[in-house]
Amino acid sequence: MVERSEEVKLLGMWASPFSRRVEIALTLKGVPYEFSEQDITNKSPLLLQSNPVHKMIPVLLHNGKPISESLVILEYIDDTWQNNPILPQDPYDRAIARFWARFLDEQVYVTAMKVVGKVGEEKDAAVEATRDLLKLLEKELVGKDFLGGESLGFVDIVATLVAFWLMRTEEVVGVKVVPVEMFPEIHRWVKNLLDVDVIKKCIPPEDEHLDYIRARMESLKLKSV
Amino acid sequence: MAKEVILLDFWPSMYGMRTRIALREKGVDFEYRDENLREKSPLLLQMNPVHKKIPVLIHNGKPVCESAIQVQYIDEVWPHKNPILPSDPYQRAQARFWVDFIDKKLCLGDQMYEAQRKVYATKGEEQETGKKEFIEILKTLESELGDKPYFGGDDFGYVDIGLIGFYTWFPGYEKFGNFSIEAECPKLIAWAKRCMQRESVAKSLPDPEKVVEFMAMLRKKFGVE
C-alpha cells in the first residue's frame, strides 16, 4: 500500500448530515483529519476560496486541494483510501448504490425538509410524500441488515440523513413521519446502525441536536409566516 | 437475437445524448428505442419504476437509471477503450463535481427541461431573468474550461459528455430568447464545435433544426406562442 503524505482537513458543520457523512467515511477508513467548524452565516475566506462555485460545506481539503459536494467527496475518499471500501466492487451494484444515494439527496431530503419548514395542509402533504418515498427504502431493507447488504456501505452512510436527522425531527415536529408500524425495516436498520462504533462516534449528540433542530424550525416558521 | 444493450430514450433529451455518446465511445453495439413520453412503454415503467424517466440503460436485462450514473457504469464495464473518467482520484472528483454542477443548475425541479424553460418558453421579465441566470451558468463552465481543448484537458471525457447535448438546444434558446450565446461565451462554442468533430458525438446528437421545432411545440404547450 502506497504511503501518502496526509493532510486532511474537513470544512464542515456539526449538525449537517452532509458534513457528518464525510466524517463517517473518513473514520471508517481510519483517516486522521482536522475538523474545522464553519459558521455558514458568516462564511470564512477559506470556505469561499475552497468552494467558490457553491460556497457550501462540506469541503474536504486533501493536501490543500479542495473537493466539494458530499457525494463527490465520498467517492473521492473511497478512490483514495482503499481499505474498508464504501462502494461495492461490481459496476452494476455501484450504479444501484449511486442511484439510491441521489434518490436520498434529491428526493427524500428535499421532501422531508418541507415537513420541517411548512405548516398545516402543506405539512401534511409533505409527510405523505416523504412516507411514499421511504416506502421504497423500506422495501430495499427486507432481508438485509444494511442498505449495503451485510455491512455498512455508501447508501447507509448517505441514508443517515433519514436515521439521525429526519427521524430526530419527529420529536420537534410533533408528527411521527416514520412510525414503526409502517416502517419496521427502517427501524430495525436504525438499531443496526447504532450498533456500529463508527456511527455512534460520528453522529451529532442527540440532546444538542434536538435543541438545534427546534431552534431552526422556529426560525423557518417565522420566515414562512 | 435480442441485443445485450438497450437504451430507452427520447431523441431531444440532452441526458439521453450522454449515454448514446458514451456507448459509441466504447464501440458498444446497442438497440436505441425512442419513447413516447405521453404514453410510456410497459418496459420503461418496469425498468424505472421509481422515476419513470428516460434514459434507461438496460444491460442483459438489468436497468441502470440516471444518465450520469449510466456513463460511469459504461466506463466501468468497458474500461479499455476511450476512458471517460480520469484515472487520478482528484481529477475524477473534479469531473464528477462539474457534471453534478451541470445537473443541479440546468435541470432543477421535477419538470423536464425546467431551468432552461425560462429562456425559451417564457416572456418579459421572467425570460430576461432566465437568460441572465443561464448565461451565468455557461460562463462559469466556460471559465472552468479555460484554454483547454476539453474540460478534462487534452482528452474528451466525462464533463464534455455531460454538457455537449445542451449544444443542440442552443439555436432554439437563441431564437426564442433573442440573444447570441456565441457572443457571450465564444470559447464554449469553440469547444462545442470541437466535440462535434468526434464521431460518437456527431452520431448521437439530433439535428438542431428539429430541436428548434420541438421547442416551438413546447412553447405552444406552455402557452407562450
Side-chain angles (χ1 to χ4, degrees):
Chain A
M1 201 172 106
V2 177
E3 260 297 317
R4 296 173 190 276
S5 100
E6 308 304 13
E7 204 203 77
V8 182
K9 186 170 178 170
L10 174 62
L11 309 181
M13 200 257 154
W14 73 276
S16 157
F18 306 101
S19 175
R20 288 283 178 167
R21 60 174 61 156
V22 175
E23 297 203 77
I24 293 170
L26 290 168
T27 308
L28 199 67
K29 305 236 179 199
V31 177
Y33 64 97
E34 179 199 330
F35 181 79
S36 171
E37 179 73 28
Q38 298 294 302
D39 179 357
I40 48 180
T41 62
N42 185 14
K43 293 173 182 177
S44 69
L46 180 59
L47 175 59
L48 296 173
Q49 182 193 320
S50 306
N51 188 1
V53 174
H54 298 303
K55 306 176 175 61
M56 295 207 313
I57 58 94
V59 180
L60 187 74
L61 291 156
H62 187 197
N63 295 325
K65 297 202 290 190
I67 302 112
S68 306
E69 291 301 301
S70 65
L71 295 183
V72 175
I73 297 172
L74 290 181
E75 295 230 27
Y76 174 78
I77 291 170
D78 213 33
D79 283 344
T80 307
W81 292 279
Q82 275 132 27
N83 61 317
N84 293 346
I86 293 171
L87 274 146
Q89 296 304 313
D90 173 71
Y92 188 75
D93 295 337
R94 289 159 78 83
I96 298 298
R98 286 171 177 144
F99 175 85
W100 286 114
R102 282 181 74 140
F103 174 78
L104 282 156
D105 279 3
E106 290 170 15
Q107 310 281 318
V108 178
Y109 175 73
V110 171
T111 310
M113 281 296 276
K114 294 188 186 151
V115 172
V116 182
K118 306 271 179 194
V119 287
E121 252 179 61
E122 277 193 289
K123 178 157 132 182
D124 293 338
V127 172
E128 266 309 299
T130 307
R131 284 184 181 155
D132 282 340
L133 295 170
L134 289 176
K135 281 176 187 151
L136 296 166
L137 230 65
E138 177 76 7
K139 248 177 80 182
E140 272 306 295
L141 281 165
V142 172
K144 286 154 103 177
D145 284 338
F146 297 96
L147 289 158
E150 281 170 38
S151 58
L152 190 78
F154 187 64
V155 187
D156 299 280
I157 295 174
V158 175
T160 52
L161 72 84
V162 172
F164 307 113
W165 275 265
L166 170 57
M167 286 166 83
R168 278 185 177 177
T169 61
E170 289 180 333
E171 289 245 0
V172 179
V173 159
V175 182
K176 276 248 167 274
V177 184
V178 193
V180 62
E181 322 83 63
M182 250 189 223
F183 301 100
E185 303 291 341
I186 290 181
H187 280 259
R188 182 177 59 84
W189 165 73
V190 175
K191 286 207 180 80
N192 289 342
L193 284 177
L194 286 168
D195 267 339
V196 180
D197 281 337
V198 174
I199 296 290
K200 276 190 287 215
K201 197 172 171 205
C202 294
I203 56 176
E206 191 159 9
D207 290 337
E208 284 100 308
H209 196 194
L210 288 173
D211 286 341
Y212 177 83
I213 294 172
R214 255 177 228 119
R216 271 213 83 190
M217 250 199 79
E218 280 311 306
S219 80
L220 280 168
K221 272 203 195 124
L222 288 168
K223 277 190 198 149
S224 70
V225 163
Chain B
M1 192 170 89
K3 284 244 169 83
E4 186 182 304
V5 180
I6 300 171
L7 179 63
L8 305 182
D9 199 349
F10 180 49
W11 68 270
S13 164
M14 53 284 268
Y15 301 99
M17 289 174 213
R18 291 171 170 177
T19 312
R20 294 172 221 166
I21 294 169
L23 287 167
R24 291 192 167 106
E25 281 286 309
K26 302 289 182 173
V28 174
D29 195 22
F30 67 101
E31 179 190 334
Y32 177 90
R33 287 194 204 169
D34 213 64
E35 285 279 332
N36 175 1
L37 297 182
R38 262 169 293 180
E39 216 186 298
K40 292 173 179 177
S41 71
L43 185 63
L44 172 57
L45 299 175
Q46 179 197 333
M47 291 288 159
N48 190 357
V50 175
H51 299 302
K52 305 177 175 61
K53 285 185 179 171
I54 57 89
V56 180
L57 180 72
I58 306 172
H59 185 201
N60 291 327
K62 298 203 291 187
V64 178
C65 303
E66 313 265 324
S67 61
I69 295 175
Q70 289 159 1
V71 174
Q72 291 183 80
Y73 174 78
I74 289 165
D75 202 33
E76 290 174 14
V77 173
W78 293 279
H80 304 296
K81 189 174 178 195
N82 290 339
I84 292 173
L85 273 123
S87 49
D88 170 68
Y90 187 75
Q91 296 305 323
R92 248 214 297 277
Q94 296 311 302
R96 287 185 173 128
F97 173 87
W98 285 104
V99 172
D100 175 76
F101 173 84
I102 293 163
D103 282 353
K104 281 193 164 86
K105 297 291 181 177
L106 293 177
C107 184
L108 300 164
D110 299 303
Q111 265 190 56
M112 208 162 69
Y113 315 116
E114 173 68 36
Q116 315 110 60
R117 193 181 56 83
K118 276 195 198 164
V119 175
Y120 71 93
T122 64
K123 287 193 278 209
E125 228 184 278
E126 196 184 355
Q127 187 178 45
E128 287 309 307
T129 313
K131 278 158 65 178
K132 264 203 198 92
E133 289 170 353
F134 182 70
I135 288 293
E136 233 181 83
I137 293 164
L138 292 186
K139 283 202 159 135
T140 305
L141 288 162
E142 192 181 53
S143 147
E144 174 56 26
L145 174 68
D147 289 316
K148 299 176 292 193
Y150 300 104
F151 278 90
D154 288 325
D155 296 311
F156 180 77
Y158 190 56
V159 185
D160 308 286
I161 293 176
L163 185 60
I164 191 60
F166 292 86
Y167 179 62
T168 54
W169 286 63
F170 283 8
Y173 299 146
E174 290 177 320
K175 176 177 177 170
F176 299 119
N178 194 29
F179 68 125
S180 162
I181 296 175
E182 183 155 18
E184 304 276 356
C185 303
K187 278 190 170 151
L188 204 62
I189 298 300
W191 160 83
K193 290 181 175 160
R194 190 175 301 125
C195 290
M196 292 300 295
Q197 308 263 326
R198 239 176 141 76
E199 199 182 339
S200 66
V201 176
K203 279 199 161 142
S204 302
L205 266 47
D207 178 1
E209 275 306 303
K210 294 223 157 72
V211 180
V212 172
E213 277 170 33
F214 177 71
M215 289 164 88
M217 186 271 292
L218 286 178
R219 278 166 60 86
K220 284 206 183 83
K221 199 175 124 182
F222 289 128
V224 181
E225 284 285 356

Short mmCIF file of all heavy atoms in Angstrom, two decimals, chain B residues 164-188:
data_model
loop_
_atom_site.label_atom_id
_atom_site.label_comp_id
_atom_site.label_asym_id
_atom_site.label_seq_id
_atom_site.Cartn_x
_atom_site.Cartn_y
_atom_site.Cartn_z
N ILE B 164 -22.24 18.45 -23.70
CA ILE B 164 -22.38 18.67 -25.14
C ILE B 164 -23.80 18.56 -25.68
O ILE B 164 -24.18 19.27 -26.61
CB ILE B 164 -21.39 17.78 -25.95
CG1 ILE B 164 -21.35 18.21 -27.43
CG2 ILE B 164 -21.75 16.31 -25.85
CD1 ILE B 164 -20.92 19.65 -27.67
N GLY B 165 -24.63 17.72 -25.07
CA GLY B 165 -26.01 17.57 -25.54
C GLY B 165 -26.79 18.88 -25.52
O GLY B 165 -27.65 19.13 -26.37
N PHE B 166 -26.48 19.73 -24.55
CA PHE B 166 -27.17 21.02 -24.43
C PHE B 166 -26.92 21.90 -25.65
O PHE B 166 -27.74 22.76 -25.98
CB PHE B 166 -26.74 21.75 -23.15
CG PHE B 166 -27.20 21.08 -21.89
CD1 PHE B 166 -26.45 20.06 -21.32
CD2 PHE B 166 -28.38 21.47 -21.29
CE1 PHE B 166 -26.89 19.42 -20.16
CE2 PHE B 166 -28.82 20.84 -20.12
CZ PHE B 166 -28.08 19.82 -19.56
N TYR B 167 -25.80 21.66 -26.33
CA TYR B 167 -25.45 22.46 -27.51
C TYR B 167 -26.51 22.39 -28.62
O TYR B 167 -26.75 23.36 -29.32
CB TYR B 167 -24.07 22.00 -28.02
CG TYR B 167 -23.57 22.72 -29.24
CD1 TYR B 167 -23.32 24.09 -29.22
CD2 TYR B 167 -23.32 22.02 -30.43
CE1 TYR B 167 -22.84 24.75 -30.35
CE2 TYR B 167 -22.85 22.67 -31.56
CZ TYR B 167 -22.61 24.03 -31.51
OH TYR B 167 -22.13 24.67 -32.63
N THR B 168 -27.18 21.25 -28.75
CA THR B 168 -28.21 21.14 -29.79
C THR B 168 -29.43 21.99 -29.45
O THR B 168 -30.26 22.25 -30.32
CB THR B 168 -28.69 19.68 -30.00
OG1 THR B 168 -29.11 19.14 -28.75
CG2 THR B 168 -27.61 18.82 -30.59
N TRP B 169 -29.53 22.41 -28.20
CA TRP B 169 -30.65 23.26 -27.79
C TRP B 169 -30.30 24.75 -27.93
O TRP B 169 -31.20 25.60 -27.85
CB TRP B 169 -31.06 22.95 -26.34
CG TRP B 169 -31.79 21.66 -26.22
CD1 TRP B 169 -31.32 20.40 -26.49
CD2 TRP B 169 -33.15 21.50 -25.82
NE1 TRP B 169 -32.29 19.47 -26.28
CE2 TRP B 169 -33.44 20.11 -25.86
CE3 TRP B 169 -34.15 22.39 -25.43
CZ2 TRP B 169 -34.68 19.60 -25.52
CZ3 TRP B 169 -35.39 21.88 -25.08
CH2 TRP B 169 -35.65 20.50 -25.13
N PHE B 170 -29.02 25.06 -28.12
CA PHE B 170 -28.59 26.46 -28.19
C PHE B 170 -29.30 27.26 -29.28
O PHE B 170 -29.77 28.37 -29.01
CB PHE B 170 -27.07 26.57 -28.35
CG PHE B 170 -26.28 26.33 -27.08
CD1 PHE B 170 -26.89 25.87 -25.92
CD2 PHE B 170 -24.91 26.56 -27.04
CE1 PHE B 170 -26.16 25.64 -24.76
CE2 PHE B 170 -24.16 26.35 -25.88
CZ PHE B 170 -24.79 25.88 -24.75
N PRO B 171 -29.36 26.76 -30.53
CA PRO B 171 -30.04 27.56 -31.57
C PRO B 171 -31.47 27.92 -31.17
O PRO B 171 -31.93 29.03 -31.41
CB PRO B 171 -30.01 26.65 -32.80
CG PRO B 171 -28.84 25.76 -32.57
CD PRO B 171 -28.79 25.52 -31.10
N GLY B 172 -32.15 26.99 -30.50
CA GLY B 172 -33.51 27.25 -30.04
C GLY B 172 -33.55 28.30 -28.95
O GLY B 172 -34.38 29.21 -28.97
N TYR B 173 -32.63 28.20 -27.97
CA TYR B 173 -32.56 29.23 -26.91
C TYR B 173 -32.33 30.60 -27.55
O TYR B 173 -32.95 31.59 -27.17
CB TYR B 173 -31.41 28.97 -25.94
CG TYR B 173 -31.45 27.68 -25.17
CD1 TYR B 173 -30.25 27.03 -24.84
CD2 TYR B 173 -32.63 27.12 -24.73
CE1 TYR B 173 -30.25 25.85 -24.11
CE2 TYR B 173 -32.63 25.93 -24.00
CZ TYR B 173 -31.44 25.30 -23.71
OH TYR B 173 -31.43 24.14 -23.00
N GLU B 174 -31.41 30.62 -28.50
CA GLU B 174 -31.06 31.90 -29.13
C GLU B 174 -32.23 32.48 -29.90
O GLU B 174 -32.51 33.68 -29.83
CB GLU B 174 -29.86 31.70 -30.07
CG GLU B 174 -28.57 31.42 -29.32
CD GLU B 174 -27.39 31.16 -30.25
OE1 GLU B 174 -27.57 30.47 -31.27
OE2 GLU B 174 -26.29 31.64 -29.93
N LYS B 175 -32.92 31.61 -30.64
CA LYS B 175 -34.05 32.09 -31.45
C LYS B 175 -35.16 32.63 -30.56
O LYS B 175 -35.65 33.74 -30.74
CB LYS B 175 -34.58 30.94 -32.32
CG LYS B 175 -35.79 31.31 -33.12
CD LYS B 175 -36.25 30.18 -34.02
CE LYS B 175 -37.53 30.62 -34.74
NZ LYS B 175 -37.91 29.70 -35.80
N PHE B 176 -35.58 31.83 -29.58
CA PHE B 176 -36.73 32.22 -28.76
C PHE B 176 -36.35 33.20 -27.66
O PHE B 176 -37.19 33.94 -27.17
CB PHE B 176 -37.42 30.99 -28.19
CG PHE B 176 -37.95 30.06 -29.25
CD1 PHE B 176 -37.48 28.75 -29.35
CD2 PHE B 176 -38.88 30.51 -30.18
CE1 PHE B 176 -37.97 27.90 -30.34
CE2 PHE B 176 -39.35 29.66 -31.17
CZ PHE B 176 -38.90 28.36 -31.26
N GLY B 177 -35.07 33.18 -27.27
CA GLY B 177 -34.61 34.11 -26.24
C GLY B 177 -34.08 35.40 -26.84
O GLY B 177 -33.82 36.36 -26.13
N ASN B 178 -33.90 35.38 -28.13
CA ASN B 178 -33.40 36.56 -28.84
C ASN B 178 -32.06 37.05 -28.29
O ASN B 178 -31.94 38.17 -27.79
CB ASN B 178 -34.45 37.69 -28.81
CG ASN B 178 -34.12 38.77 -29.81
OD1 ASN B 178 -33.52 38.52 -30.85
ND2 ASN B 178 -34.48 40.00 -29.49
N PHE B 179 -31.08 36.17 -28.30
CA PHE B 179 -29.73 36.56 -27.89
C PHE B 179 -28.74 35.62 -28.54
O PHE B 179 -29.13 34.61 -29.15
CB PHE B 179 -29.59 36.57 -26.37
CG PHE B 179 -29.66 35.22 -25.69
CD1 PHE B 179 -28.63 34.80 -24.85
CD2 PHE B 179 -30.76 34.38 -25.84
CE1 PHE B 179 -28.69 33.57 -24.20
CE2 PHE B 179 -30.83 33.15 -25.19
CZ PHE B 179 -29.78 32.75 -24.37
N SER B 180 -27.45 35.95 -28.46
CA SER B 180 -26.42 35.11 -29.06
C SER B 180 -25.56 34.51 -27.96
O SER B 180 -24.94 35.23 -27.18
CB SER B 180 -25.53 35.93 -30.00
OG SER B 180 -24.33 35.23 -30.24
N ILE B 181 -25.56 33.18 -27.90
CA ILE B 181 -24.74 32.51 -26.89
C ILE B 181 -23.27 32.64 -27.26
O ILE B 181 -22.41 32.83 -26.40
CB ILE B 181 -25.17 31.03 -26.72
CG1 ILE B 181 -26.61 30.98 -26.18
CG2 ILE B 181 -24.22 30.29 -25.80
CD1 ILE B 181 -27.21 29.59 -26.07
N GLU B 182 -22.98 32.60 -28.56
CA GLU B 182 -21.60 32.71 -29.02
C GLU B 182 -20.99 34.04 -28.62
O GLU B 182 -19.82 34.11 -28.24
CB GLU B 182 -21.51 32.52 -30.53
CG GLU B 182 -20.07 32.54 -31.03
CD GLU B 182 -19.88 31.78 -32.33
OE1 GLU B 182 -20.88 31.52 -33.03
OE2 GLU B 182 -18.72 31.44 -32.62
N ALA B 183 -21.80 35.11 -28.68
CA ALA B 183 -21.31 36.44 -28.30
C ALA B 183 -20.93 36.46 -26.82
O ALA B 183 -19.96 37.10 -26.43
CB ALA B 183 -22.37 37.49 -28.58
N GLU B 184 -21.68 35.74 -26.01
CA GLU B 184 -21.42 35.72 -24.56
C GLU B 184 -20.33 34.73 -24.20
O GLU B 184 -19.52 34.98 -23.32
CB GLU B 184 -22.70 35.34 -23.79
CG GLU B 184 -23.88 36.23 -24.07
CD GLU B 184 -23.88 37.48 -23.21
OE1 GLU B 184 -23.00 37.61 -22.35
OE2 GLU B 184 -24.75 38.33 -23.41
N CYS B 185 -20.31 33.59 -24.86
CA CYS B 185 -19.38 32.51 -24.49
C CYS B 185 -18.70 31.91 -25.71
O CYS B 185 -18.94 30.75 -26.06
CB CYS B 185 -20.13 31.39 -23.76
SG CYS B 185 -21.00 31.94 -22.29
N PRO B 186 -17.83 32.68 -26.35
CA PRO B 186 -17.20 32.19 -27.59
C PRO B 186 -16.36 30.93 -27.39
O PRO B 186 -16.34 30.06 -28.27
CB PRO B 186 -16.33 33.36 -28.03
CG PRO B 186 -16.15 34.22 -26.82
CD PRO B 186 -17.36 34.02 -25.98
N LYS B 187 -15.67 30.83 -26.25
CA LYS B 187 -14.79 29.67 -26.03
C LYS B 187 -15.61 28.39 -25.87
O LYS B 187 -15.18 27.32 -26.29
CB LYS B 187 -13.95 29.87 -24.76
CG LYS B 187 -12.73 30.73 -25.00
CD LYS B 187 -11.79 30.72 -23.80
CE LYS B 187 -10.48 31.38 -24.18
NZ LYS B 187 -9.83 32.02 -23.04
N LEU B 188 -16.78 28.55 -25.29
CA LEU B 188 -17.64 27.39 -25.08
C LEU B 188 -18.16 26.89 -26.43
O LEU B 188 -18.22 25.68 -26.68
CB LEU B 188 -18.80 27.75 -24.17
CG LEU B 188 -19.45 26.61 -23.40
CD1 LEU B 188 -18.46 25.93 -22.47
CD2 LEU B 188 -20.64 27.12 -22.60
#
